Amino acid sequence: MSLTNDATSVTRILVLARVVNRLGGFGMGFLGLRLGRDLGVDLALVGSLLAAFGMCTIPSRVLGGVLANRFGARFALVAGLLASGGAQAVIGLGRSVPVVVAGVVALGLAYEVVEPATQSLIAEGVPPQRRASSYALLWAAVSVAGVVAGAVAALVLRWGVGTLFLTDAATSVAAATVVATLLPTVGARQGPPHWRGAVSRRLLAWTGVGCVYATLLMVVVFMLPLAVDAAGYRPSLTGWLLATSAGAALATQRLVARREQRWPSAGMLVGGYVVLALGLLLWSAGSIPALVVGAALEGASGALLLGTQQAIASRLAPPGGAATVMTVYGLSWGVGTVVAPLVGAPLLARGTGALWLTCAAIAAILAIAHSLYAVLHRLRSPLDLAVGRGRPSDAVGCARAPSIADQSGSGPARPTR
């Protein structure tokens, strides 16, 4: 796949499609309320059903990688968006638990199909010196749409959670139309993805780290609406908190974009986890001011963490293997989506304070772990150079994948997920 000559136009089309889709894209976070509040499903069963949704996203991600490799990015994007829209319509229109559960399963199977195509188009098609700015443009545009989406969610929720899912369905179909109409046919391969050549021990290790963060973030996605409801606030407050989070993400992204060449990725990761821990700590207080400030910090942490992690993953790809590498790394989100409701629901049953304090502690542990890794890497590098096991500037490719501490030269990128 080669998009070098059309990198700017392709990135703009992806931005437009993801913005249109994002305008109604807060439905997933309200699956718990749709099942629990609207249909009377108890909290324990809600957790199990959300875990089933997460389990379905794992084959969904793999399917997305296969479709992108075999039929091209446009086909994978259109198919994934249309399937997601249909599943969200079922969830929104369903009036019984079996029908809505069927929609939840279908949404899980379709939800991640678009991700390998989106990420590989930028990772493989954009020259390395422009890749960070392309990811930054995508992240910034989606964050802007997220601000509007939070307000839309807050307004639409007055007519019920089901209406929000119908809004999501409409924007998914609109985004599919944008892709089908504007995106050229690129990235098609006649053959299966090159799994063996693209999967390395470094990629698997980095995917394991990603599983921890993905679980933490999906706890926020799934449990925030339930926690706000448990605290006695209206569901519309969640929409405003999500809008606050998205606005903070945009503001932080603009700061990072100006200084990305100066800030090493290790520092970006540590700072992001510290900010996230502080935001979750504030959420444990439970008051509206604490929830608002905590939402701003949570959004800011995403601008520091999400793009940096995916940028590191993209640099582990051999030539032609971006879709496969991003598929493998993206499985961390499937794992996180499965684990999050299984651990989040029991914690929420003990109280919102227990939920957010536990999450804050995990974020703090991740910050400490990344700090220690960066220090150990710096101490080890001179010894490796002295005995001939490394050199000051290794090429980023399949011969040697960069470690966290190696990323300071090119700066972080900020894709959606």
Side-chain angles (χ1 to χ4, degrees), residues 58 67 77 149 192 261 264 278 408:
I58 296 177
L67 292 177
L77 287 167
Q261 298 296 329
L278 291 175
S408 57

Side-chain angles (χ1 to χ4, degrees), residues 311-328:
I312 293 173
S314 72
R315 295 172 195 142
L316 303 178
T324 304
V325 165
M326 300 313 292
T327 297
V328 173

